[in-house]
Amino acid sequence: MIEAATPAAVPAEGGAISIDYEVKNPVEGKRLSAQSDDAWVKELTVGDEAVTARLEKNLLADPRTATVTLRYDGAEAVKVSVVQEGYLPFLIQVADITMSDARMTVYPEEEGMYIAAVDFAEGFDAQKIAAENKAIFAEHAAAEQKTLAEFIAGYAYKGEQTFHPSRLSPNTDYVVYVYGIDSEGEATTDVIVEPFKSLPVEPGPMVDCKIDIVAENLTSTSVKVVFNPSDPTVQYFYTMLDQAGYEDISKDWPGYIYEYMVSQLTDDGLPLSTIVMLSCSVGQQEVQSKTLQPETTYYACAVGVNSTAMINTEVAVQKIVTPPDSPIDYGFDFDFGEVTATGARVTVSPRDVRAFYYWNVMTEEEYGEMKGDESKIAAYFEQKMIEQRKAQMGDYADWYPLPEFIASQCSSGFDGPDSYTFGTLTPETTYYVYAFWVDEQTGEPASVTAFSESPFKTEKQVISAAVAKPSLWLTDGDDWAELNPLGYGHFKGYAILGARIAPAEGAVHWYSNIYKASDIASTDDQLLASSLINSKYYMDKTSYNLSYGVEWGGDYVIVSVAVDAAGARGPVQRVAFKAEKSAAEPLESIPGE
């Protein structure tokens, strides 16, 4: 019978081992024999009390085990396991772990280049990473017009190195991996891996704020959600989640919020506090969700967030279950009142809160030409939008995509009935109210046009005797700049247009503005008067100056109109002039200062 002791594990560097043994009831003249089929076990020698051998250096990262078989005639053979530790060409130290950062230090055992990086533990394959990196390095080398060797020489590490990952996700498993590399991108060592886990995000100091969430106007595909915090100064983040998203995020709200905010950081971008401010809201907010699915569960959620991206209130949740799919009602209800010679109050109520729509009024003549012809209405609408975009944006109109401009002119059913008081209608004219749904992406009509069942007719225009006479007040921008260089230095070299208004008896209110002569050459008095009154330009001012300068020599017109106690306007007053420097009045002080 053979008894043998298992030796202690041998370091990767190799060296001598000794296997102590004893043969029970030995027979004179017989000797113990030892054998191993593992080539790295060398110089196997049998002594009187021990078997010795020398192990070669283990160049692999994994430990390895050899078997030494001891035999003696008449006794059962004994197999002894000899374990040698794996060779670690690199020692990896991970310290100072936080929820988004860690400090990695690599201590190489030998000289040479190596790659060190951090990756997600899930899906990481140490057997494939070197080949995957080589392909990536080749792409970068080509993009930078370098050889692969040149790129690796500038990218790989040498000697002891400490580095930080770009940014970690909280409460996540990672690995630091390191391997030697040659100039051709091939691994020269095994890939050494050190796992670690980032810390979870904890809530910040809590504040006394409760966020109420109310769902309104729920349909099978849309809802309006109102978020209302009890403290209007607390900034909060809100979102709408489906069932799967809610279950996932609810596992770690602090981590989700922190990761969302931190993911927007860049090396040369905004600070975290500003990102939080821009991503969050304060006070009551109304949010429209228009792309929901029928018979589906959603969760409207909100939570307070401090300037360091940590939550500081309880998470408010409102469960929302959409009803079965319901047909869309594309209809509208119309109401109008307060009709005058040039104005009327009109209210349009969509019958479906999902409506995204445009509405306006058209004359009886236009109604007769277009009713029932949707192609004509679509062309009429497009041309109207093009002209309106030009009127609002001038020379910059073509820079603003027409679909986006159209969307800005539309109304939403989520906001309830839409009312507007017109002020520039034509007297003694019959109007119909019309409305249709609009495609938010293309800006094109998306439904049949609905018209009011009955029209309304504006009253007869009564022109009163109310008058506010304008006169020119032209000054030199050089005088403004000299009197106040800091405030009006930009006036230098320009004409500053202005007017004085003298209201006559009977003028209760008056309005005025200055136009380029070419801009209003074909504009009638009715439209000018309605525009001035409706926009309240320089209302009841006895004098005014425009807030910008113009080139000398241009042709302009001062326009004014007054209304009496009954609200009836008087005749439109026009004073044409040329902005000539010889007509400028000297300026001794800045008006109003």
Side-chain angles (χ1 to χ4, degrees), residues 489-537:
H490 59 290
F491 277 10
K492 189 175 181 62
Y494 293 99
I496 308 303
L497 308 184
R500 296 185 178 92
I501 308 298
E505 186 176 352
V508 176
H509 296 293
W510 55 94
Y511 312 87
S512 178
N513 203 0
I514 301 174
Y515 302 92
K516 285 183 179 180
S518 58
D519 288 346
I520 63 168
S522 59
T523 306
D524 61 29
D525 284 358
Q526 179 60 49
L527 183 57
L528 272 177
S530 296
S531 177
L532 286 172
I533 295 169
N534 199 46
S535 301
K536 296 183 172 57
Y537 287 130

Side-chain angles (χ1 to χ4, degrees), residues 51 78 169 197 256 260 292 296 347 372 417 419 432 438 446 494 538:
V51 174
V78 173
S169 296
K197 186 172 185 177
Y256 168 74
Y260 175 83
L292 307 183
T296 304
T347 300
S419 294
Y432 281 86
V438 173
Y494 293 99
Y538 295 107

Side-chain angles (χ1 to χ4, degrees), residues 92 115-119 124 129 133 175-179 191-193:
I92 304 172
I115 299 298
V118 175
D119 205 343
F124 179 78
I129 191 65
N133 282 347
V175 295
V176 186
Y177 68 87
V178 185
Y179 64 91
V191 177
I192 309 303
V193 177

Side-chain angles (χ1 to χ4, degrees), residues 270-400:
L270 299 172
L272 181 59
S273 58
T274 301
I275 290 173
V276 171
M277 181 186 69
L278 295 174
S279 301
C280 292
S281 301
V282 293
Q284 181 173 300
Q285 298 292 325
E286 296 183 357
V287 183
Q288 300 172 5
S289 295
K290 302 179 181 179
T291 57
L292 307 183
Q293 296 297 316
E295 299 183 87
T296 304
T297 299
Y298 295 92
Y299 296 86
C301 307
V303 62
V305 185
N306 66 22
S307 60
T308 59
M310 294 184 176
I311 69 171
N312 59 2
T313 72
E314 296 296 326
V315 179
V317 180
Q318 176 64 53
K319 183 177 180 180
I320 299 170
V321 181
T322 53
D325 195 11
S326 56
I328 295 175
D329 187 343
Y330 291 97
F332 296 88
D333 294 313
F334 304 100
D335 181 47
F336 43 80
E338 302 174 18
V339 180
T340 66
T342 58
R345 175 196 51 77
V346 179
T347 300
V348 178
S349 303
R351 294 174 183 168
D352 194 308
V353 295
R354 293 169 285 187
F356 185 76
Y357 63 100
Y358 176 83
W359 71 272
N360 210 321
V361 298
M362 65 172 60
T363 64
E364 186 176 35
E365 181 181 358
E366 292 170 327
Y367 172 80
E369 291 177 358
M370 290 185 284
K371 186 178 186 300
D373 191 334
E374 295 301 325
S375 61
K376 277 189 177 181
I377 293 174
Y380 166 82
F381 170 63
E382 181 179 17
Q383 185 59 36
K384 188 178 187 70
M385 291 294 98
I386 291 172
E387 293 172 358
Q388 195 163 323
R389 180 181 63 171
K390 177 67 175 178
Q392 291 185 20
M393 302 182 175
D395 295 338
Y396 298 98
D398 291 339
W399 292 89
Y400 197 156

Side-chain angles (χ1 to χ4, degrees), residues 7 17 19 34-41 44 51 53 55 64-71 77-84:
I17 63 165
I19 303 172
Q35 178 186 359
S36 177
D37 293 332
D38 296 284
W40 48 277
V41 178
L44 196 62
V51 174
L55 303 188
R64 58 184 178 180
T65 301
T67 300
V68 176
T69 303
L70 306 182
R71 291 185 174 88
V78 173
K79 295 181 181 296
V80 179
S81 294
V82 178
V83 177
Q84 185 179 24

